[in-house]
Amino acid sequence: MAERIEVDPDALAGAAGLTEEVALGVRSVLTTLEQELVTYESAGPDQPWGSDKMGKKFIQGDANNGYQASRDNLLQGLEGMAGTLEEFAAGQREAVTALTTADQPAL
């Protein structure tokens, strides 16, 4: 036997708006972080970690697990999170449209 579910389209539309706000916030953090990293990473020999053996170890790590790999993973993760939240919001909006049109009589 199928269970009955109820959905409030207005509440779902509000949730879609909130989900989209979170996505925009994550994307804003990502953009700000990328801009700030450019400042440090394009400093050439004056980078904060230096260009000596210890600086190279910081960047590369022991097995390509240093700062550079961690930075790349973080940026990719933030991009993925923002994209996923954007897709959630779009799905919520599509559900609202489907629910509200399903309740209208056919002409």
Side-chain angles (χ1 to χ4, degrees):
M1 184 165 143
E3 291 189 37
R4 179 182 166 111
I5 62 167
E6 292 184 33
V7 177
D8 179 347
D10 293 331
L12 186 55
L18 293 173
T19 303
E20 189 171 51
E21 283 182 37
V22 173
L24 290 171
V26 171
R27 197 159 296 283
S28 175
V29 167
L30 173 61
T31 300
T32 301
L33 180 58
E34 287 174 328
Q35 291 169 348
E36 290 297 318
L37 289 175
V38 167
T39 302
Y40 293 107
E41 294 173 348
S42 64
D46 295 329
Q47 293 175 339
W49 44 81
S51 59
D52 60 357
K53 184 178 178 182
M54 287 183 69
K56 290 178 184 176
K57 177 94 168 176
F58 173 77
I59 290 290
Q60 297 169 352
D62 292 321
N64 201 24
N65 62 353
Y67 164 77
Q68 191 167 20
S70 296
R71 179 211 56 209
D72 293 346
N73 288 337
L74 175 65
L75 295 176
Q76 289 170 5
L78 286 171
E79 178 64 41
M81 185 183 300
T84 298
L85 288 165
E86 289 163 351
E87 290 175 15
F88 284 169
Q92 290 170 317
R93 284 191 169 76
E94 289 171 13
V96 168
T97 300
L99 289 166
T100 55
T101 57
D103 289 340
Q104 297 176 358
L107 299 176

